[in-house]
Amino acid sequence: MPLDEQKLDPAIALASLDEAAPREPHRLFALKHGDSFAVADAYGDIRGVGDGFFRDDMRMLSEFRLTLGGRSTSLLGASLSQDNVLFSANLTNLPIKAIDGKEIRQGAIHIERVRLIWQDRLYERLTLSNYGQEQSAILLSLRFAADFRDMFEVRGTVRQKRGTAHLAEAGQNSIVLRYQGLDDVERVSAISFSQMPDQLMPDQADFFLTIAKRGKQTLYVEVGTAVAAPDRERFRAAAARARFAMRAKRRHGATVHSSGRVFNDWINRARADVALLTTELETGPYPYAGIPWFSTAFGRDGVVSALQMLWLNPGLARGVLAFLAQHQATETAPFSDAQPGKIMHETRKGEMVALSELPFGRYYGGVDTTPLYILLACSYADRTGDMDFIDRLWPSLRAAADWIVEASRATGFVTYQRAAASGLANQGWKDSYDSVFHADGRIPKGPIALVEVQGYVFAALRGLAGLAERREEAEQAEEWNRLAEALRERVEQRFWMDELDYYALALDGEGEPCRVRTSNAGHLLYVGLPSAERAAKVAEQLLSASFHSGWGLRTLADDAVFFNPMSYHNGSIWPHDTAICTAGLARYGVRDDVVRLTSGTFEAAVHFNMRLPELFCGFTRAPGEAPIAYPVACLPQAWSAGAAFMLMQACLGLRVDGWTGSIEVTRPRLPIGIDNLMVRHIQVGTVAVDLTFQRVGDRIGAFLSDQHEGSVPLIVRS
C-alpha cells in the first residue's frame, strides 16, 4: 500500500502479521544507542510483531524468546533503569520437569534477564537462582530468528522482491545469520553465548543447567555483526561505558527539581527519554523522533524537540540546526520532493531507500520544516545571543527564506502538493491521508495551505528580520518585516471563519477554506500571529469540551465529520501538540488554564508509567478511568518527552534573554500540588545560576539562590 495510507490505521497492518499477539507499546520496553535499538515485551522476549533488534533501519533479530523446561516463564516484573540504559525482567518458572524427570514446582527458579545496547551490539545476562529444596537440572532454551526486514516492511509495506537469506552458520559457541540484500550489502546477525550450547539448531540453542540448592548459574549472550566471546567482564564493561555516556548526555543543560516526588519522577523520566533518543552525530546532538517507527533524524520532530528543550539546553538546538543546514536541499528532485533551500523532512539508511523503492533516504516532503528551522535558529539566537553561530548559518537561513518566498509567490501562502505518487500526500505534522478535509468530508485538492504553517512562516520572517537588523542589513530586515505583516493580514482575512469564531484548518487548491476546527489553530497562538481578540476566541474553544478531554487537547473538535478519538490525527491527543497550544495560551496570558493543562498531562503520564507516548486516544476523561493507549504509538517519543518541559516553561513564564543576559519571569505559576521548584544551572551567557520558584499563599515568588544573586538580572512581572 502507499506509505501515507498506512497512517490511517497502522494497527491494522501489524495485527495482520500476528493476530494472536498484537503490539502494545505501553507494555513494551525500548533500549537504544546510536543507530541501533531494541524493542521487547516485559519478559524480554522479541516476537516479531513490530518489535525486534534493529540496526540502520533493518531488523537484525525478529525473534528472541526464552523458555524453561520447554515452557514459557511467569512474569514477576519488568523495568528500565532510571537512566534508560538497562532493561531488567524478573521471571520465574511454571511447573516443569527437570532433565531427570523430577517435578519442579512453580516459583522454585528465579530468572533475572538484564539487557543493554552499546555500540551496535546487544548484551544480555541471564541469571538463574534455585530457591527449591534440592539441586535441579533444567533445560533453558533460547529461540531466535533474523528476518532482515526493512523498517518499512515491518510497518506494513509489501515488497515484490527481497534479497537472499543464507543458511545459518553454527560455531562452537555461536550461530551466524546472513542476508544478502538487493543493494549488494551483506547484513550479519551473529549470536554468541558464554558457554557451549548442549544443542544448537538454526533457530534455537538449548542449555542443560545444573543449579545447586540456593545456587546460581549465569549465561551471557551477545548479538552483533561478528562473533564474540561473551562473559561477565565484557557485560560489565559495556554497561559501565553505556551508563557513563548516558550520564554525560543528561548533564547537558539545566535540570529541574520540585517538592513533588511523583512530579520529579515524570520530569526525570522525560529527561532520560530525551537523552536516550539523542544521538551524537558529527554535527552535534540530534534527538531521533521515536522508537520504533521513527528512530532516525526527522526535521520537524528534531526542531520541535529542540524548541521544547531550548530554555534548558540550547546545545540541542545548535546540534539540530547544524545537521539540518548540512542536509539542506540544493537541487530540484521530484522523487524526494526536494527544492533548493528546502530543509529535510526525514532520512533513512535501510535497503528499500538505498534501492529507491521509497523516497525516504533523504526526503524533503515536509512543508513546515523549513520555516520551523528558521524559527528555531531565531529562537536559539534570542536564547543565547550566539551571533557567531548564526553568522555561519546565515547562507543556509537565506536559502531557506528564499524557498519560502518562492513557495508563496503563486498564492501568497506556503503550500504543498507532492511531486511524485510515492511521496506523502499530506505534508504538515498531521500527515495521514485523511487528516486534511472539508467540513462535509471531501478530501481537498492541492496545493494546500495549512493554517499553522503560515504561522511558522510569519514567525520565521519576523525572526529573520530581527537578526538581519543585528547584522546591519536594514533593507533586508525591512523586507522580511513587510512580508511577515502582509502574511499576517492575509491569514486573518482568508483563514478566519466568522460563523465559527475560529481559524480554518487549510485552504485548498481553489482557495476554499476547510471549515474544520482543529488544534492547528493553537499553533498560531504559539507564534503570536492572531490579534488579542481572536486569540481569546480560539483559547475559549480549545479549552472547551470539544477539544479538552481532561487529559489533553484533541487534535480535532468532537463535532467534525471525521472525528474519531481512536484515530491517528482526527481526535487523538498528541502531548507535543497540547504543549505547543498551551505555550500559545501562556503567550496570550491564559495562566490558570495553562496550569490545568499541565496537570492533566502530568496525570496522563502517571497512568503511562511516567512516559508519555507519541499519542493516545482522545476519549473524555471519566472519574476513576485511565487514558486509553493508541495501539501502535511510538514509545518513547522525543517531542512527547519534551512536552513536559514546554508545559513547565509555560507555567513558570520563564524566558532567558540572550541579548541582555537576563532572566525574565512573567506571572509565574506552579503545577497543582507543587509548592517549590528549582531550575538548577540554567545558563545565561557565561554564567550558570539556580532559580527557585516558591508558593507563598496565593502568589508565586521567583528568586536566584544566595550565591547567584546579582550575577544576572532577574526581572519578575506579576
Side-chain angles (χ1 to χ4, degrees), residues 521-560:
H523 295 220
L524 288 188
L525 304 189
Y526 174 69
V527 299
L529 185 147
S531 66
E533 180 184 1
R534 287 185 174 177
K537 293 177 179 179
V538 170
E540 181 181 2
Q541 296 193 51
L542 285 174
L543 295 166
S544 73
S546 289
F547 283 101
H548 189 199
S549 74
W551 300 116
L553 299 180
R554 301 183 183 97
T555 55
L556 179 66
D558 62 2
D559 60 355

Side-chain angles (χ1 to χ4, degrees), residues 65-287:
R65 304 196 198 196
L66 180 150
T67 60
L68 209 61
R71 299 192 67 184
S72 59
T73 56
S74 177
L75 177 66
L76 300 175
S79 63
L80 287 170
S81 58
Q82 189 178 51
D83 59 9
N84 278 329
V85 170
L86 298 177
F87 163 77
S88 299
N90 285 278
L91 314 165
T92 190
N93 64 292
L94 297 170
I96 57 173
K97 287 188 176 183
I99 294 170
D100 60 7
K102 292 182 180 180
E103 298 287 339
I104 300 178
R105 63 179 177 81
Q106 181 168 347
I109 309 296
H110 173 251
I111 308 106
E112 183 190 47
R113 194 173 188 179
V114 181
R115 177 181 297 160
L116 70 130
I117 296 175
W118 175 246
Q119 292 185 336
D120 292 333
R121 181 170 286 269
L122 185 148
Y123 294 79
E124 183 154 313
R125 182 185 69 203
L126 291 163
T127 304
L128 281 73
S129 301
N130 183 4
Y131 292 97
Q133 298 305 305
E134 59 184 357
Q135 175 176 288
S136 295
I138 301 169
L139 168 63
L140 181 149
S141 300
L142 286 170
R143 187 170 181 84
F144 45 79
D147 63 2
F148 297 104
R149 296 277 173 177
D150 188 282
M151 173 57 74
F152 289 100
E153 291 182 273
V154 178
R155 288 171 60 184
T157 300
V158 177
R159 298 180 70 188
Q160 299 303 313
K161 189 177 180 182
R162 302 192 78 251
T164 303
H166 296 285
L167 294 175
E169 302 167 17
Q172 190 175 39
N173 287 24
S174 64
I175 194 154
V176 178
L177 308 173
R178 298 181 187 274
Y179 169 77
Q180 186 71 31
L182 297 177
D183 56 355
D184 291 328
V185 175
E186 183 182 63
R187 293 168 174 89
V188 177
S189 196
I191 306 169
S192 307
F193 310 100
S194 58
Q195 68 183 65
M196 184 188 306
D198 292 278
Q199 294 183 129
L200 184 58
M201 294 162 277
D203 59 356
Q204 186 167 309
D206 292 335
F207 300 88
F208 302 141
L209 303 177
T210 300
I211 312 175
K213 177 184 176 180
R214 293 293 189 268
K216 292 183 178 181
Q217 284 272 21
T218 302
L219 174 68
Y220 295 92
V221 185
E222 293 183 23
V223 184
T225 58
V227 171
D231 60 18
R232 178 174 178 267
E233 292 308 313
R234 281 178 60 88
F235 183 90
R236 292 184 66 183
R241 291 179 186 126
R243 302 200 93 151
F244 180 82
M246 186 63 77
R247 277 198 302 272
K249 284 199 286 187
R250 293 183 69 184
R251 285 196 192 103
H252 294 163
T255 59
V256 176
H257 187 80
S258 79
S259 59
R261 181 180 60 81
V262 179
F263 189 82
N264 289 340
D265 289 343
W266 178 38
I267 296 305
N268 290 336
R269 173 57 70 190
R271 190 62 180 266
D273 282 351
V274 172
L276 174 71
L277 291 165
T278 298
T279 302
E280 290 294 332
L281 305 176
E282 291 181 1
T283 47
Y286 200 103

Side-chain angles (χ1 to χ4, degrees), residues 53-72:
F53 174 43
F54 295 81
R55 183 170 58 248
D56 290 338
D57 287 322
M58 180 71 77
R59 185 155 63 181
M60 309 305 289
L61 266 186
S62 53
E63 185 178 11
F64 197 52
R65 304 196 198 196
L66 180 150
T67 60
L68 209 61
R71 299 192 67 184
S72 59

Side-chain angles (χ1 to χ4, degrees), residues 685-701:
T686 59
V687 180
V689 299
D690 296 341
L691 178 62
T692 297
F693 294 83
Q694 180 72 47
R695 192 183 301 277
V696 182
D698 59 354
R699 301 187 58 146
I700 306 297

